[in-house]
Amino acid sequence: TCDGRPVYLPRVEFLLISRLSRSLERVVSSEELWRAAWCDDKPLNCGSLHVYIHRLRNKLRPYDLQIDVLVNVGYRLVRK
């Protein structure tokens, strides 16, 4: 939930936001986010990860949360 309202997320998006929220305002590497969602079942695909992050950004925007990208480093969840 955000602001007491339920936010419905598919499994992968939930796993990604769960990992980001444990490191609020700190950078989480792309590799670490990928492992959080897919374990070691698939090799890192930065394009796919970017698509999932884009979807999460759109869902979190109304709650004053944003996901920043640090190119070639990773992502971080921040409050606006």
Side-chain angles (χ1 to χ4, degrees), residues 16-70:
L16 292 172
I17 195 65
S18 294
R19 179 61 196 90
L20 286 168
S21 66
R22 287 190 303 246
S23 299
L24 189 61
E25 304 201 10
R26 291 191 314 241
V27 177
V28 179
S29 73
S30 298
E31 292 85 2
E32 190 171 341
L33 280 174
W34 186 263
R35 279 194 309 272
W38 287 277
C39 301
D40 289 322
D41 296 340
K42 297 180 180 182
L44 174 62
N45 181 327
C46 291
S48 291
L49 183 57
H50 182 75
V51 168
Y52 281 98
I53 294 294
H54 175 74
R55 291 177 186 164
L56 269 173
R57 281 181 177 134
N58 291 335
K59 292 176 182 178
L60 296 175
R61 191 169 291 124
Y63 304 102
D64 293 329
L65 294 169
Q66 76 182 38
I67 300 173
D68 292 338
V69 62
L70 283 84

Side-chain angles (χ1 to χ4, degrees), residues 7-15 17 55-56 59-60:
V7 178
Y8 298 99
L9 300 173
R11 179 183 176 275
V12 170
E13 291 177 18
F14 175 78
L15 292 171
I17 195 65
R55 291 177 186 164
L56 269 173
K59 292 176 182 178
L60 296 175

